[in-house]
Amino acid sequence: MKKTLYIDMDGVICDFDSGLARLDPAVRERYRGREDQIPDLFSLMTPIPGAIEAVTELAGLFDTYVLSTVPWANTSGASQKIEWIQRHFGKDRHSPLWKRIILSHHKHLNRGDYLIDDRPHRNGAAQFAETNAGATTLHFGSPEFPDWATVLDFLRPRA
């Protein structure tokens, strides 16, 4: 039986700042401090380097799901996130993430072995390991896990 792996989306699979960089400066100014509410922002993001290949590999090794939060004030973000995953991973049954997207503000309610998140103290990520005995949260972008190569090096032998 495969171990369960959850992967956050923004800042882990897709580059939030790349979406911001594509916006008109006037739009950025109007939404300053609440950037996640910008209409269509999620559709503008590019993949984090190595993310598509790493997630595809990990989906073969683990029971893998995207576990992401949608801004409460930007409900179109939910459909944009699904469309982003379909665009970069495929829409059909052969996609490594086909029907494997969970949107939640309470990540700790999910049962599993690993969570990869760039903000491990938000939306229940900090409690994930506490509510799942033996579980591990990998802080993506930290000195320990700065990129996908280090994440793969850590997870491959644990599959």
Side-chain angles (χ1 to χ4, degrees), residues 8-79:
D8 181 40
M9 192 168 168
D10 309 328
V12 178
I13 300 175
C14 62
D15 184 349
F16 192 86
D17 291 334
S18 70
L20 292 174
R22 292 182 165 161
L23 292 170
D24 182 286
V27 173
R28 290 181 70 174
E29 184 58 34
R30 186 169 54 242
Y31 285 90
R32 183 178 301 279
R34 51 190 183 93
E35 288 82 1
D36 61 359
Q37 295 177 23
I38 297 171
D40 299 321
L41 175 64
F42 297 98
S43 66
L44 300 174
M45 297 177 195
T46 59
I48 296 278
I52 304 301
E53 299 81 8
V55 171
T56 300
E57 178 181 340
L58 290 170
L61 299 172
F62 294 88
D63 186 18
T64 303
Y65 299 85
V66 170
L67 178 56
S68 189
T69 300
V70 176
W72 194 250
N74 185 0
T75 56
S76 68
S79 60

Side-chain angles (χ1 to χ4, degrees), residues 90-139:
K91 294 181 180 183
D92 63 14
R93 291 179 182 268
H94 302 292
S95 165
L97 297 176
W98 187 67
K99 295 187 177 184
R100 293 182 164 271
I101 301 169
I102 301 168
L103 301 174
S104 176
H105 286 89
H106 306 282
K107 294 179 181 182
H108 64 289
L109 296 178
N110 289 273
R111 299 290 170 245
D113 301 289
Y114 298 98
L115 169 64
I116 305 169
D117 205 309
D118 65 317
R119 298 187 320 174
H121 301 292
R122 303 222 16 196
N123 301 311
Q127 294 79 26
F128 177 80
E130 296 170 13
T131 58
N132 289 278
T136 302
T137 300
L138 286 72
H139 182 181

